[in-house]
Amino acid sequence: MLTRTQIQIKGIVQGVGFRPFVFALARRSALKGQVLNNSVGVLVDVEGEECQIKQFISELKTNPPPLSNIESIEFSNYEHTVNYSDFRIVESNSNGAKIMPISADIATCQDCLREMFDPKNRRYRYPFINCTNCGPRFTIIENIPYDRKQTTMRDFEMCEDCRIEYENPLDRRFHAEPTACADCGPKVFLISNQIEPQRRKDAEENEDAIGKTRQLLQNGKILAVKGIGGFHLVCDALDTEAVKNLRARKYREDKPFALMANSIEVIKKYCFVSEAESELLLSKERPIVLLERKPNAPIPEAIAPKAKNLGFMLPYTPLHYLLLENQAKPLVMTSGNISDEPICYEDSEVNERLKTIADFYLLHNRRIHIRTDDSVVRVLKLEEIYPQINTDGHRLEKDKSQITNHKSQIVVRRSRGYAPAPIKTAVKFEKQILACGAELKNTFCLTRDNYAFVSHHIGDLENLETLRSFTTGIEHYKRLFNLKPEIVAYDLHPEYLSTKYALEIDATKIGVQHHHAHIASCLADNEIEGEVIGVAFDGLGLGTDGKLWGGEFFVADFLQAERIAHLEYMPMPGGAKAIREPWRMAAVYLQKTFGDDFLNLEIPFVQTLNKSAWKTIRQMTTTETNSPRTSSMGRLFDGVASLLGLRDVVNYEGQAAIELEAIVEKNCADGYVFDIAENESIIKISDVIHQIIKDMLAGVSPQIISAKFHFGVAQLIGFIARRIRNERKLNRVALSGGVFQNMLLLEQTCQILKSDGFDVFTHRRVPTNDGGISLGQAAITNAHIITGRI
Ligand SMILES: [Zn+2]
Ligand SMILES: [Zn+2]
């Protein structure tokens, strides 16, 4: 008997080849009817035998197109049939198209790769091959609805062959908007840095630009290569001279360079790669994965000075595949910028900003509409490296059942491949909110229903170019997702450019404390709500008492954060200068612990201390001149690193702490004890400094001291969490803040808390650093709306 069923599919189902997939499936199942995009997703109307329809629905669920993400399938049966004569894809019912999820940019798929390397294929070695399942999306979309006219691909008119594919519902390129071939699509150009890219003539397009690029790289040259979301600076990673040149030309830079290799096998020469890490490297998002470097890995030190990890990624565009074809060597693929500026993404900027760095430019003429950096992720491994340790420092027998769920992905920088996919939340957003985020590693966030549209990584809002990226980014998201935020959330710090921007908007506004936002972000990230023990450790953020917080224990939910304990306040002489010069903090800790007599301590730090500089600093702390008070845990990590002689001045945020983590002696399960009195809320630093100096004087190695410091901080978290549990009957702990980018600390803390029976929540989908702040601001704002506070 003929029956009719309507199927409504919700989720990321538009612009990902869903309709042609349904079309092909219906044809195969001999079903009749139609499929269309509507305001909430894809609507299918089918007629046929009941069992066939059932089979059809089960196929829909089990084998959807790779880029789709089905959130729900609802179906209703109708008694009246239409008696369709065939199965069709019909024009979109655009009635009030509200949210159109837009796909992120996706790595080249296997089908396209096969075609690109097939001499008989018409796209043989074409560096812009793509299909419905892969290629650029977010970075080329100018406006919605998503079709070619509204992307930067409108610059290219499709040739007849491409058009036939584009219009054929059974073709892999049906409505793949960036469809192109060598005859009609984008082209690559190789030019020297003596030519202004925008002045180059198409006639200058050279034969075999990619082959010549490979040759130049082989000869130690540095190239600016235009990718999908911006420019990379590229050189041969094994050419020490080239790497040093690149580092020198990018000046003031110690940040590790990302690497690209053509296979996991190549990466394994330099790093340990677990199964989970391998999966991430191969995922369609193709992020940079931070991997543990093998001892004596044959790679120049200048790639990642003093770091114990290397950031590797696999090729994600056809151009990358061609550059790395048959290459046993990795390439440096670092962001195309000078120090802290955002990456270059327009041809016109290249000559202004990268001329002094790159010898040549490998360009293409597909415009990038919005810049997007590579994403950075890592895998949290709780069991593999460190023994399980309980709070008394005793090793526990491994319980196999607990191990399996311990491996998980951590997003350090959420950008290309992930954004602009929304973060689904457990709590519905009652109104549309714009959360402006923090200052460093900024992201913004817009909300609607159960979605938080957390932006791609914007960067440090410390210069005009990044600010422009922030403001145009907000406008772009509003347009793409058809959002009109009614309420604006901002950080309490008045000097953040994101705060200044928010305060100028004519709308209802709410200021959100930085560390409360961290904890709320962790809750939203984990789709939980209600009170938790919140641990927020970071560099710093403005507290409600006007001081700079960063070593905080709360009892918090989305509405409020009650500060239960924190590190004792210390002066930060010179403000921001104390961040760049951790020796200032180290000296302050010593002075607070030992008084001015610390100058008699026979440790290298004191012996090499610039006494006249210290005199000035001491004066500043006494008179409280330009010495804001801070309870920051990030500063303490930096200070300890400086004390151990690792680094007195940093070139990027967190560098000293990263080096402190890198030297840790792993087989040490001993920790310093932080002093905190019963019923006290202030955690003393001086006791730990005492213990460190005692060890230093006894000749204990920095490796062991670092290990004892890390373990001490993890035990401190366990100790305070237990105290709060006893008083408040809370058993859930949320960990957030940039300090938890320290894998050793995070792993040890999780182990201690878990073996003590706590439910531990860490970040999974948004960064634990300030990149996650905007999500937390949005969640807090929503709680205020729901309870009628605003
Ligand atoms: Zn493809
Ligand atoms: Zn074509």
Side-chain angles (χ1 to χ4, degrees):
M1 201 186 81
L2 189 68
T3 60
R4 177 181 170 210
T5 303
Q6 262 200 6
I7 308 158
Q8 175 68 59
I9 305 141
K10 293 182 186 170
I12 298 185
V13 288
Q14 297 186 2
V16 292
F18 213 94
R19 288 175 306 158
F21 155 73
V22 170
F23 177 85
L25 189 60
R27 284 270 175 106
R28 272 208 307 281
S29 322
L31 294 171
K32 291 171 178 171
Q34 60 180 30
V35 56
L36 59 118
N37 284 341
N38 65 2
S39 64
V40 287
V42 165
L43 183 68
V44 189
D45 200 355
V46 281
E47 289 178 352
E49 292 296 325
E50 202 182 328
C51 64
Q52 278 172 320
I53 294 181
K54 275 194 179 144
Q55 179 62 30
F56 173 80
I57 292 172
S58 113
E59 277 280 314
L60 276 184
K61 287 180 186 167
T62 47
N63 283 316
L67 299 192
S68 64
N69 185 1
I70 298 178
E71 274 167 14
S72 68
I73 298 185
E74 295 155 22
F75 42 95
S76 34
N77 297 315
Y78 288 85
E79 285 183 9
H80 298 289
T81 53
V82 181
N83 287 313
Y84 287 112
S85 59
D86 56 4
F87 196 92
R88 292 180 183 205
I89 295 174
V90 299
E91 268 310 295
S92 303
N93 158 4
S94 62
N95 280 348
K98 291 280 159 58
I99 278 199
M100 285 250 294
I102 286 169
S103 165
D105 305 285
I106 298 300
T108 311
C109 74
Q110 288 304 316
D111 290 331
C112 285
L113 276 183
R114 208 174 306 119
E115 286 183 1
M116 184 172 71
F117 288 116
D118 173 7
K120 291 195 286 292
N121 192 279
R122 71 185 192 89
R123 291 190 180 84
Y124 180 55
R125 305 189 76 76
Y126 179 55
F128 301 94
I129 187 169
N130 67 81
C131 73
T132 312
N133 300 328
C134 73
R137 293 287 187 283
F138 177 55
T139 49
I140 60 166
I141 296 176
E142 295 172 322
N143 210 338
I144 49 161
Y146 174 53
D147 72 29
R148 187 159 172 129
K149 288 192 296 294
Q150 311 251 40
T151 72
T152 60
M153 281 302 290
R154 66 191 158 89
D155 302 351
F156 306 93
E157 187 158 352
M158 263 185 262
C159 69
E160 193 52 31
D161 288 344
C162 284
R163 180 158 297 281
I164 288 168
E165 294 168 331
Y166 179 86
E167 288 173 354
N168 176 4
L170 295 176
D171 193 280
R172 208 171 85 244
R173 295 193 170 83
F174 178 70
H175 277 269
E177 307 303 344
T179 293
C181 71
D183 288 337
C184 65
K187 293 176 171 43
V188 285
F189 307 90
L190 176 67
I191 59 175
S192 92
N193 67 356
Q194 299 306 307
I195 299 171
E196 288 179 37
Q198 63 275 33
R199 296 251 166 87
R200 79 167 159 71
K201 302 190 178 58
D202 280 3
E204 284 167 13
E205 174 199 350
N206 21 38
E207 281 292 304
D208 196 24
I210 293 170
K212 284 177 186 153
T213 301
R214 289 168 56 111
Q215 195 56 53
L216 288 166
L217 292 169
Q218 186 67 37
N219 296 342
K221 298 291 184 213
I222 295 168
L223 278 94
V225 175
K226 188 175 175 183
I228 216 162
F231 280 84
H232 281 121
L233 287 162
V234 184
C235 73
D236 179 346
L238 299 190
D239 185 332
T240 307
E241 271 313 296
V243 175
K244 275 192 190 157
N245 273 341
L246 176 54
R247 199 162 276 291
R249 293 183 199 174
K250 273 192 96 168
Y251 54 38
R252 236 174 40 77
E253 273 270 359
D254 270 346
K255 282 187 194 169
F257 289 151
L259 301 165
M260 186 182 273
N262 79 355
S263 67
I264 303 262
E265 285 62 48
V266 172
I267 298 175
K268 282 184 174 168
K269 284 192 225 166
Y270 310 97
C271 292
F272 298 103
V273 185
S274 70
E275 211 167 295
E277 287 161 342
S278 168
E279 260 172 48
L280 267 178
L281 282 163
L282 289 163
S283 67
K284 64 185 193 305
E285 292 86 3
R286 287 291 154 96
I288 295 169
V289 182
L290 297 181
L291 301 167
E292 190 187 343
R293 173 188 201 151
K294 285 187 173 168
N296 307 318
I299 202 138
E301 176 63 17
I303 297 268
K306 296 190 186 172
K308 71 167 187 176
N309 294 304
L310 293 174
F312 262 107
M313 58 185 151
L314 291 172
Y316 56 85
T317 70
L319 182 64
H320 295 150
Y321 277 100
L322 294 169
L323 277 179
L324 281 150
E325 190 185 3
N326 299 323
Q327 280 283 1
K329 292 193 287 187
L331 292 175
V332 167
M333 278 264 176
T334 188
S335 346
N337 58 1
I338 301 178
S339 55
D340 297 331
E341 291 177 0
I343 50 165
C344 270
Y345 72 113
E346 288 171 319
D347 291 1
S348 56
E349 310 172 281
V350 173
N351 232 35
E352 284 165 35
R353 295 175 52 201
L354 301 183
K355 188 177 179 175
T356 53
I357 305 179
D359 303 303
F360 291 85
Y361 314 134
L362 182 65
L363 308 163
H364 60 71
N365 56 350
R366 186 177 68 205
R367 286 179 294 122
I368 297 170
H369 183 69
I370 192 150
R371 66 158 68 87
T372 352
D373 295 80
D374 292 318
S375 293
V376 182
V377 303
R378 67 192 310 171
V379 172
L380 176 66
K381 296 171 263 194
L382 283 187
E383 268 306 314
E384 292 177 36
I385 304 173
Y386 305 101
Q388 229 185 335
I389 300 163
N390 70 7
T391 38
D392 306 323
H394 295 114
R395 290 176 189 202
L396 295 178
E397 282 304 306
K398 285 185 183 177
D399 174 356
K400 282 266 158 41
S401 65
Q402 287 189 344
I403 297 171
T404 43
N405 285 330
H406 281 170
K407 77 177 180 195
S408 65
Q409 172 189 331
I410 291 180
V411 178
V412 180
R413 182 165 76 197
R414 187 178 177 276
S415 208
R416 177 193 48 77
Y418 297 94
I423 304 284
K424 194 142 193 284
T425 55
V427 186
K428 184 170 185 251
F429 289 99
E430 287 302 316
K431 287 187 178 171
Q432 291 185 19
I433 299 163
L434 164 64
C436 295
E439 170 101 330
L440 298 178
K441 302 181 171 69
N442 176 278
T443 62
F444 57 83
C445 172
L446 289 144
T447 67
R448 177 179 193 131
D449 303 332
N450 282 78
Y451 295 105
F453 295 86
V454 177
S455 76
H456 55 293
H457 166 83
I458 299 291
D460 299 345
L461 288 179
E462 290 175 326
N463 55 57
L464 272 180
E465 190 57 25
T466 319
L467 182 63
R468 193 172 73 91
S469 205
F470 170 78
T471 54
T472 54
I474 290 173
E475 290 311 312
H476 194 51
Y477 268 67
K478 288 201 309 207
R479 195 163 49 235
L480 290 188
F481 300 107
N482 200 10
L483 300 170
K484 293 183 185 66
E486 297 166 74
I487 303 196
V488 178
Y490 59 90
D491 192 281
L492 294 180
H493 201 303
E495 291 307 314
Y496 286 3
L497 290 180
S498 53
T499 300
K500 290 182 173 170
Y501 169 87
L503 292 177
E504 279 176 16
I505 299 174
D506 182 20
T508 308
K509 278 163 274 202
I510 170 171
V512 178
Q513 200 279 320
H514 191 91
H515 303 94
H516 185 199
H518 267 307
I519 302 303
S521 174
C522 186
L523 301 190
D525 195 342
N526 286 284
E527 299 184 69
I528 58 168
E529 54 182 317
E531 273 195 342
V532 295
I533 300 166
V535 186
F537 285 178
D538 70 353
L540 36 95
L542 189 61
T544 49
D545 59 358
K547 301 197 170 65
L548 297 168
W549 295 3
E552 315 300 314
F553 289 87
F554 299 102
V555 166
D557 58 18
F558 285 136
L559 262 188
Q560 58 82 44
E562 180 188 348
R563 198 180 187 204
I564 304 289
H566 62 88
L567 280 188
E568 69 176 304
Y569 286 125
M570 287 282 164
M572 229 174 83
K577 257 205 140 170
I579 301 175
R580 283 194 299 277
E581 299 179 11
W583 72 268
R584 292 179 181 225
M585 294 311 297
V588 165
Y589 296 138
L590 286 178
Q591 197 278 331
K592 291 281 171 192
T593 306
F594 297 96
D596 291 320
D597 285 350
F598 87 86
L599 290 168
N600 300 326
L601 286 171
E602 290 184 3
I603 56 168
F605 176 84
V606 172
Q607 286 155 350
T608 56
L609 184 68
N610 178 335
K611 303 293 184 311
S612 72
W614 166 248
K615 215 175 145 194
T616 317
I617 300 284
R618 179 77 183 93
Q619 188 67 24
M620 286 166 79
T621 59
T622 318
T623 57
E624 296 188 27
T625 316
N626 191 18
S627 294
R629 318 248 290 156
T630 185
S631 55
S632 163
M633 183 59 88
R635 293 291 80 76
L636 183 59
F637 269 82
D638 281 3
V640 170
S642 175
L643 209 49
L644 295 183
L646 296 178
R647 178 166 289 280
D648 287 337
V649 177
V650 299
N651 293 328
Y652 62 90
E653 198 219 2
Q655 186 179 17
I658 287 170
E659 291 175 9
L660 185 65
E661 182 191 355
I663 64 159
V664 158
E665 167 59 51
K666 279 180 196 165
N667 295 314
C668 168
D670 192 8
Y672 296 125
V673 180
F674 279 83
D675 183 29
I676 176 163
E678 198 69 32
N679 302 322
E680 237 322 322
S681 64
I682 314 286
I683 303 152
K684 290 271 172 26
I685 291 175
S686 49
D687 251 44
V688 164
I689 300 295
H690 255 296
Q691 295 164 61
I692 291 175
I693 297 302
K694 194 173 156 223
D695 273 352
M696 286 178 85
L697 291 170
V700 176
S701 73
Q703 286 75 8
I704 300 276
I705 293 176
S706 173
K708 288 168 84 171
F709 176 69
H710 276 83
F711 196 50
V713 175
Q715 282 181 309
L716 168 71
I717 296 172
F719 178 78
I720 306 259
R722 263 176 284 137
R723 208 174 82 175
I724 300 176
R725 173 165 66 188
N726 293 341
E727 288 166 10
R728 303 292 189 95
K729 308 287 169 255
L730 294 170
N731 199 49
R732 299 185 300 173
V733 184
L735 306 174
S736 188
V739 168
F740 290 108
Q741 292 175 105
N742 183 319
M743 281 299 109
L744 177 61
L745 178 68
L746 183 62
E747 286 161 358
Q748 288 183 335
T749 304
C750 288
Q751 274 169 10
I752 287 173
L753 292 171
K754 282 181 182 174
S755 58
D756 221 350
F758 285 102
D759 295 325
V760 187
F761 297 91
T762 58
H763 284 275
R764 299 177 297 131
R765 299 180 292 173
V766 299
T768 193
N769 60 41
D770 283 2
I773 287 283
S774 62
L775 176 64
Q777 290 174 339
I780 289 168
T781 305
N782 191 46
H784 280 78
I785 296 168
I786 291 173
T787 53
R789 283 169 169 80
I790 47 172

